[in-house]
Amino acid sequence: RHAAPTATMATTRAAALTAIMMACGAEALLVGSPSPFAGSSSMAAVSSSSHPRMMFGGGGGGGEGNFMDKLKAAKDMFNPEMMKKYSEVGQKVQELQEELTQTEVECSTNEGGIVVKVTGTQVPLSVEVSDEMLAGGAEKLSEQVAAALKQAHAKSGGYAQQRMAELYDQMGLGAGMPKQ
């Protein structure tokens, strides 16, 4: 035995449908469409934009593309050939990460007074300070060490970016990558 639908139940169902439609990306239902959850004289209209947008294409002029275009783009993105390419890129990036971990980048300041070595992944390896720099006092030494660390970090980051751009160029994915 089912209770007769009440106005509250119809409102709750309409709110649930609205929430589902919003979650699915439907920002607007056509104004003037009868609501399946309310009486025949009731109209459902939910809109957060000035243009209606249909779920499966058409409507609106916002240039977002329609659902079918997005579905086709997703299908193209996950075809077997592209999945193989993604796998190759992932493997090459992992190899590059290992290479960068083993790479040493050196930066020195004040004619070799401070020498900083970091990996290609910006991990500090060593800091060497000359006796002349030590004689200059703690404050000056601190400033020079900080400057040398910043330079080494920037140099290492630039090197890693350059190597990544080269890898993408080799894989045919270099379009849109910033050039160093």
Side-chain angles (χ1 to χ4, degrees):
R1 199 175 200 216
H2 299 289
T6 64
T8 305
M9 289 175 71
T11 303
T12 304
R13 288 179 182 158
L17 176 64
T18 300
I20 291 169
M21 296 295 285
M22 294 294 281
C24 292
E27 294 176 356
L29 296 173
L30 288 177
V31 176
S33 300
S35 171
F37 301 112
S40 61
S41 63
S42 177
M43 302 291 174
V46 177
S47 179
S48 63
S49 68
S50 60
H51 301 288
R53 193 173 90 198
M54 317 305 176
M55 282 192 68
F56 297 103
E64 296 177 27
N66 67 36
F67 177 78
M68 295 306 288
D69 290 339
K70 291 177 183 176
L71 186 62
K72 183 180 181 319
K75 183 184 121 257
D76 291 343
M77 198 163 75
F78 293 105
N79 73 39
E81 185 178 306
M82 287 306 291
M83 294 305 288
K84 182 180 176 191
K85 186 76 154 185
Y86 295 149
S87 177
E88 286 177 39
V89 169
Q91 184 179 355
K92 296 279 187 181
V93 167
Q94 189 173 14
E95 290 170 6
L96 179 59
Q97 277 296 113
E98 290 171 15
E99 174 191 323
L100 291 173
T101 301
Q102 302 301 316
T103 301
E104 284 188 16
V105 177
E106 184 177 296
C107 191
S108 62
T109 61
N110 289 338
E111 294 93 35
I114 297 178
V115 178
V116 175
K117 291 181 184 175
V118 295
T119 66
T121 56
Q122 293 86 37
V123 175
L125 295 173
S126 67
V127 177
E128 297 173 16
V129 180
S130 70
D131 291 333
E132 294 83 31
M133 287 302 298
L134 284 174
E139 189 174 322
K140 183 177 178 186
L141 179 63
S142 294
E143 290 173 6
Q144 293 298 315
V145 168
L149 284 168
K150 287 177 185 176
Q151 288 175 0
H153 187 268
K155 187 175 179 181
S156 174
Y159 176 74
Q161 251 186 340
Q162 174 191 349
R163 292 291 293 129
M164 186 65 81
E166 289 170 3
L167 175 106
Y168 281 166
D169 281 343
Q170 289 171 356
M171 300 293 295
L173 303 170
M177 289 292 294
K179 299 291 181 191
Q180 292 293 327

